[in-house]
Amino acid sequence: MLVAGFAAGALGANCYLLAAGRGEACVVVDPGQDALEPLEAALAEHDLTPGAVLATHGHFDHVASAAEIARRHLVPVMLHPADHPMVPGGAALTPLTTGMIELAGLALDVDHAPGHTEGSVLVRVRTEEGGRLLISGDTLFAGSVGRTDREGGDRGRLHGSLRELVLPLPDETVVLPGHGPASTIGRERTTNPFFTRLDDD
């Protein structure tokens, strides 16, 4: 499996490209502000063709380039329906709901994880090589968790999503967050100070 990524925009939101391998179709995850130029460079470097755009939530720094990418490559933008109103017009939005979906030759498990926004999702990927990935959006970061003081945020629901969907994952699961460096579930379980507060709802 091929995973490529880069940070884009003033807020440094991570955009990821997921593909079965070089020269294949790919899923573009969270193409935010100023993501078009680095995305096209990454597509060319790995000989990839977008098969779909997937957004972990509807905040501008994660979807600003989604409509243009969808238009250029004639692909849908997949986003949980609760966050559809947050996306500017022009994107062909497709509902993204809980369950297993197949995109660009990959099997992705999607979990609705409200808290950062009403429509936030987590995306789990099991690679052919045996590894496990979690695309966590702005629900979980290395050493931190998503903020809940913006529209659609809810601290209690975020804590519930972390308890029910994140903590049970295997320690070796690699976390690819919406901002900042990658981590693992094991590292976050033992070092993330916010995990000790999950019962303080």
Side-chain angles (χ1 to χ4, degrees), residues 52-73:
V53 174
L54 187 154
T56 60
H57 62 289
H59 281 157
F60 182 77
D61 56 326
H62 291 259
V63 300
S65 299
E68 177 61 19
I69 293 167
R71 184 190 67 78
R72 288 187 184 188
H73 296 280

Side-chain angles (χ1 to χ4, degrees), residues 13-193:
N14 291 328
C15 177
Y16 299 105
L17 284 69
L18 311 177
R22 180 178 174 83
E24 303 286 346
C26 69
V27 181
V28 179
V29 181
D30 285 355
Q33 207 172 9
D34 301 324
L36 290 175
E37 186 174 334
L39 173 67
E40 293 298 335
L43 292 173
E45 178 183 354
H46 301 288
D47 190 23
L48 300 175
T49 303
V53 174
L54 187 154
T56 60
H57 62 289
H59 281 157
F60 182 77
D61 56 326
H62 291 259
V63 300
S65 299
E68 177 61 19
I69 293 167
R71 184 190 67 78
R72 288 187 184 188
H73 296 280
L74 302 178
V75 296
V77 177
M78 307 190 73
L79 175 71
H80 192 278
D83 279 6
H84 281 196
M86 303 172 73
V87 180
L93 297 177
T94 298
L96 183 63
T97 55
T98 294
M100 196 274 282
I101 59 173
E102 292 188 8
L103 294 175
L106 301 175
L108 310 177
D109 289 298
V110 178
D111 294 308
H112 182 209
H116 180 64
T117 66
E118 176 62 30
S120 290
V121 299
L122 302 170
V123 180
R124 291 176 286 117
V125 189
R126 189 173 297 190
T127 71
E128 290 186 1
E129 297 81 6
R132 300 169 186 261
L133 301 176
L134 174 69
I135 312 292
S136 63
D138 285 3
T139 296
L140 174 66
F141 307 120
S144 189
V145 298
R147 60 190 294 179
T148 57
D149 58 346
R150 298 176 65 184
E151 179 185 359
D154 185 297
R155 179 171 172 248
R157 298 190 79 187
L158 177 69
H159 285 189
S161 293
L162 291 167
R163 273 196 311 268
E164 297 164 17
L165 301 173
V166 174
L167 283 179
L169 295 175
D171 283 351
E172 65 271 18
T173 303
V174 175
V175 178
L176 301 179
H179 299 266
S183 186
T184 66
I185 292 296
R187 186 181 305 152
E188 296 311 302
R189 196 191 312 280
T190 56
T191 65
N192 191 322

